[in-house]
Amino acid sequence: MSKTIAWRSPSNIALIKYWGKYGRQLPKNASISLTLENAFSETHLQYEQKNAQSAAGLSFDFLFEGKENPNFSARIEKFMSSILDEMPFLKDYHFQIQSHNSFPHSAGIASSASGLSALALCLTQLATEIGYGDFTKENFKEKASYFSRLASGSACRSIYGGAAIWGETPHYEKASNLYAVPYGESLHPIFHTYHNDILFVSKAEKKVSSTAGHQLMEGNPFAEARYAQAQDNLGKLLTHLKNGDIHEAGFIIEEEALTLHALMMSSRPSFVLMQPNTLLLIHKLRAWREETKLPLYFTLDAGPNLHLLYPSEIKTQAQAFIQSELLPYCENGQYLADKVGQGAFAL
Ligand code: DP6
């Protein structure tokens, strides 16, 4: 008889970027992200114990948005194989995995973060339910974040509501390279009201995967300076996030986004993931900010789309500006209105 476990897990948007890794998915610098609400993945894991005649090894079928997806299947296979040392019982089951997203995959919206954390949550729940090893209800989130990290680094931050930090740093004692820790309770209340509207400059597939991008940092001449900058920026940003200094936080957030793209541009081979309209929107946004003095800032993922960040107290003005001045430069005028969310939950 088969049983099902299902989780919804959100995407997250990094304010201090993770870019560069080593060893078994360990980050070169600590990062912090806001957890989103409307951009999420839902994953259903149906599992059935194999019988004695079944083939040994991992066995699963995967459907994404109801269809087979060889690329995603290969990534899942790689992930599940990589954790067999810590979850050997996975070989005892046949799995049917179904996943769908609330947003278009690739194009720089972290679909790997939401999709793979949702799967890691399902597998961690299975381990907990069967009472495997040291899996308990008490360490559930930490374990789920740990396995999410092994699937995709940024995924480990999606578990918690509000905000999460991943990576050792002198600025936050509880932080670890192995899993993310929640930071929501330390955020000034204004950041809990933050909107994150994703403006789709282009919904085309990304030209470089994040995984390939991280590898490019190995030969990048600016790598060491970047890791030092990230450390310094995180320390400053944590102070601003605690105190509610929205402008100071905004400057650091924009610097991080542009640094990420500068690193990609200065890698060998180099990648320019911004589109002409990405830059146009940045100029328009900065001009509007200069004129109004309102705290509307942007960040970018490894893609051309602009993530706009603002507190709900300027919602009316920000949204009027976005509608009239920015959406005409988006692909088919499309955007996804998102905001800081509550983190993953079981369905
Ligand atoms: C630019 O987590 O997608 O979004 O660990 O190889 O799966 P892998 O990479 P991934 O990298 C995300 C990079 C980023 C910045 C961030 O989210 O911190």
Side-chain angles (χ1 to χ4, degrees), residues 12-21 25 29 31-33 75 108-113 116 148-157 166 206 209-215 260-261 264 300-303:
N12 66 75
I13 181 69
L15 306 179
I16 301 294
K17 307 292 182 183
Y18 146 59
W19 199 243
K21 61 179 171 181
Q25 286 277 97
N29 63 265
S31 57
I32 183 167
S33 55
R75 182 130 192 206
I109 298 183
S111 81
S112 63
L116 290 168
S148 299
R149 173 197 119 236
L150 293 176
S152 174
S154 57
C156 73
R157 299 184 309 235
W166 170 43
K206 284 197 284 186
S209 71
S210 299
T211 305
H214 289 288
Q215 274 161 14
L260 171 70
H261 282 257
M264 284 186 278
L300 299 158
D301 246 329

Side-chain angles (χ1 to χ4, degrees), residues 18 20-29 149 168 177 214 218:
Y18 146 59
K21 61 179 171 181
Y22 68 99
R24 195 181 178 197
Q25 286 277 97
L26 301 167
K28 283 281 201 174
N29 63 265
R149 173 197 119 236
E168 281 164 18
N177 276 348
H214 289 288
E218 276 159 38

Side-chain angles (χ1 to χ4, degrees), residues 13-15 17 194-197 199 249-259 261 274 278-279 281-286 289 295-301 304-310 326:
I13 181 69
L15 306 179
K17 307 292 182 183
Y194 256 56
H195 289 249
N196 173 52
D197 292 347
L199 270 48
F251 295 138
I252 294 176
I253 292 165
E254 289 194 355
E255 182 180 298
E256 282 287 313
L258 294 174
T259 299
H261 282 257
M274 284 194 249
T278 312
L279 275 176
L281 292 175
I282 290 173
H283 284 295
K284 282 188 168 286
L285 183 154
R286 286 187 164 178
R289 192 167 70 221
L296 176 64
Y297 289 86
F298 72 87
T299 186
L300 299 158
D301 246 329
N305 302 324
L306 216 61
H307 289 245
L308 300 186
L309 294 163
Y310 55 92
L326 302 187

Side-chain angles (χ1 to χ4, degrees), residues 310-325:
Y310 55 92
S312 66
E313 64 189 33
I314 68 156
K315 185 175 156 189
T316 310
Q317 299 98 308
Q319 291 182 354
F321 167 65
I322 293 167
Q323 293 280 346
S324 65
E325 302 290 327

Side-chain angles (χ1 to χ4, degrees), residues 156-317:
C156 73
R157 299 184 309 235
S158 279
I159 309 296
Y160 311 100
I165 297 182
W166 170 43
E168 281 164 18
T169 164
H171 305 296
Y172 200 67
E173 211 184 305
K174 280 183 269 181
S176 166
N177 276 348
L178 302 179
Y179 47 81
V181 294
Y183 192 73
E185 284 183 10
S186 306
L187 283 183
H188 184 280
I190 194 149
F191 290 107
H192 284 282
T193 76
Y194 256 56
H195 289 249
N196 173 52
D197 292 347
I198 308 165
L199 270 48
F200 294 110
V201 169
S202 165
K203 292 205 241 156
E205 293 245 1
K206 284 197 284 186
K207 287 196 199 72
V208 58
S209 71
S210 299
T211 305
H214 289 288
Q215 274 161 14
L216 291 174
M217 282 299 275
E218 276 159 38
N220 189 298
F222 304 109
E224 290 312 315
R226 159 60 192 158
Y227 303 137
Q229 177 204 36
Q231 174 92 286
D232 185 49
N233 275 351
L234 179 67
K236 291 188 175 119
L237 185 63
L238 291 184
T239 308
H240 302 322
L241 291 177
K242 236 181 259 162
N243 297 343
D245 304 329
I246 47 186
H247 286 287
E248 281 78 1
F251 295 138
I252 294 176
I253 292 165
E254 289 194 355
E255 182 180 298
E256 282 287 313
L258 294 174
T259 299
L260 171 70
H261 282 257
L263 289 166
M264 284 186 278
M265 288 193 258
S266 58
S267 291
R268 199 173 285 171
S270 104
F271 291 93
V272 182
L273 297 188
M274 284 194 249
Q275 294 286 330
N277 279 353
T278 312
L279 275 176
L280 190 143
L281 292 175
I282 290 173
H283 284 295
K284 282 188 168 286
L285 183 154
R286 286 187 164 178
W288 186 79
R289 192 167 70 221
E290 183 61 31
E291 192 186 306
T292 62
K293 310 287 179 228
L294 293 174
L296 176 64
Y297 289 86
F298 72 87
T299 186
L300 299 158
D301 246 329
N305 302 324
L306 216 61
H307 289 245
L308 300 186
L309 294 163
Y310 55 92
S312 66
E313 64 189 33
I314 68 156
K315 185 175 156 189
T316 310
Q317 299 98 308

